Amino acid sequence: DIWINNAGAINTMRPISELDAADILSVPRTNLIGTMNCCQTVINGMNGQEIVEGTKGALYNFEGFGSDGTKTEGLSIYGASKFGLTYFTKALIKETKGGLVRVGFLSPGMVPTEMLLKAKHDVSPERWKKMKWIYRILANDVETVTAWLAENTLANTKHGAHIAWLTTGKAALRFF
């Protein structure tokens, strides 16, 4: 009875002036509109089921690069979709407060997935070298992060929870 929206479409890492219209439409359509549609369906479905252990279930939206307002060249579309998702999730938490469906965030930090590594082919070798340096410091393997997120998601009982693997403090320590 836990639903996780992990929408992850990303545009080619290029300035908006170099993207085609399909990229500009598909990323927010997947990351934001798709997540909104799923949230509506899931909340209605969970509210229609029996109460088990004081709750009807939980819904979590995955954050991504840009969720916190961070910006980088070439990811304006992806970052905007994830920043919009943060606003949407915060509003959804307020809308569902006092209800029986818990809503929250999951934040994996940097994980070397196909989507993340796609950038290697989109940027100059010099920029990739800088990006790779950051990945080596901050990224963790999928298995480690997934296991931690799953354990903490199952243990959570708080509405509005922000379950984050790579916190600001943890990132700062890694640079030291």
Side-chain angles (χ1 to χ4, degrees):
D1 298 294
I2 296 174
W3 181 272
I4 296 173
N5 287 310
N6 186 18
I10 194 166
N11 54 278
T12 304
M13 202 166 177
R14 294 201 172 92
I16 193 169
S17 61
E18 296 177 17
L19 297 176
D20 60 39
D23 273 346
I24 293 169
L25 291 174
S26 70
V27 173
R29 188 176 286 150
T30 298
N31 296 354
L32 188 54
I33 304 300
T35 298
M36 290 173 168
N37 289 333
C38 286
C39 286
Q40 180 187 41
T41 301
V42 168
I43 289 170
N44 287 337
M46 286 182 174
N47 278 329
Q49 63 189 5
E50 287 184 40
I51 298 174
V52 178
E53 298 179 19
T55 183
K56 291 188 174 190
L59 179 153
Y60 295 92
N61 291 331
F62 253 83
E63 293 184 303
F65 184 85
S67 292
D68 64 354
T70 302
K71 298 152 194 75
T72 194
E73 175 187 338
L75 287 180
S76 58
I77 303 301
Y78 177 80
S81 73
K82 289 299 184 172
F83 191 72
L85 183 63
T86 296
Y87 176 92
F88 171 73
T89 305
K90 286 178 179 179
L92 189 61
I93 289 166
K94 285 184 178 252
E95 285 178 13
T96 56
K97 186 177 181 177
L100 294 173
V101 177
R102 285 188 316 277
V103 177
F105 292 97
L106 293 178
S107 181
M110 289 184 149
V111 179
T113 61
E114 238 180 81
M115 191 172 86
L116 182 70
L117 298 175
K118 180 181 180 274
K120 180 178 182 178
H121 308 289
D122 294 342
V123 298
S124 69
E126 297 80 27
R127 185 164 180 203
W128 177 248
K129 187 176 177 182
K130 290 177 187 174
M131 290 169 67
K132 201 164 69 170
W133 179 78
I134 297 289
Y135 294 164
R136 283 191 181 133
I137 294 170
L138 297 178
N140 289 96
D141 62 274
V142 173
E143 293 79 12
T144 301
V145 175
T146 302
W148 187 89
L149 287 173
E151 182 180 321
N152 284 274
T153 299
L154 290 170
N156 179 52
T157 59
K158 181 183 168 202
H159 183 71
H162 186 232
I163 301 170
W165 167 259
L166 183 62
T167 61
T168 304
K170 194 185 280 186
L173 285 174
R174 290 184 180 187
F175 278 101
F176 289 119

